[in-house]
Amino acid sequence: MSQQFKKMRQGMLESIAYAKGNSAPGTRVHHPKPVDVKSLRISIGMTQEEFAAKFGVSTATLRHWERGDRSPQGPALVLLNVIQHDPQAVIRALAA
């Protein structure tokens, strides 16, 4: 086996493990909790336009999330979890 093939094989095995919910040795896979986006937005007292502008998502995307047409995934879901935990920290970080 060539060195190139070994690297490709290792990468594929790690991808398969990740897809099955397992992580590579020494790492941890985080699974953010689902967020009720509308309730979150209302709880911090923002309109859809304010929330979208403040946190860098389009108003159309926010509306889709709130209606349930789509669900936030990946980095957007992580951001929403952080906003839910401490919205002011995110606002301060983005203002810097």
Side-chain angles (χ1 to χ4, degrees):
M1 248 187 273
S2 72
Q3 212 40 30
Q4 182 76 15
F5 179 79
K6 287 179 184 178
K7 289 180 183 178
M8 289 172 55
R9 182 178 182 274
Q10 182 62 34
M12 289 175 26
L13 291 173
E14 289 174 9
S15 295
I16 291 167
Y18 180 84
K20 290 180 177 178
N22 303 318
S23 58
T27 62
R28 181 174 172 211
V29 177
H30 295 275
H31 299 282
K33 297 180 299 184
V35 174
D36 181 339
V37 181
K38 186 174 184 177
S39 294
L40 172 60
R41 177 182 59 77
I42 290 170
S43 74
I44 58 178
M46 291 185 178
T47 66
Q48 286 182 330
E49 292 76 16
E50 291 168 335
F51 188 94
K54 184 68 72 177
F55 298 114
V57 298
S58 74
T59 305
T61 296
L62 180 61
R63 287 184 181 133
H64 283 293
W65 289 343
E66 289 191 5
R67 283 193 310 253
D69 301 336
R70 297 185 195 144
S71 297
Q73 303 289 317
L77 184 56
V78 171
L79 176 62
L80 290 167
N81 271 267
V82 175
I83 294 168
Q84 190 169 40
H85 179 72
D86 190 350
Q88 292 306 313
V90 177
I91 291 168
R92 284 191 308 274
L94 293 173

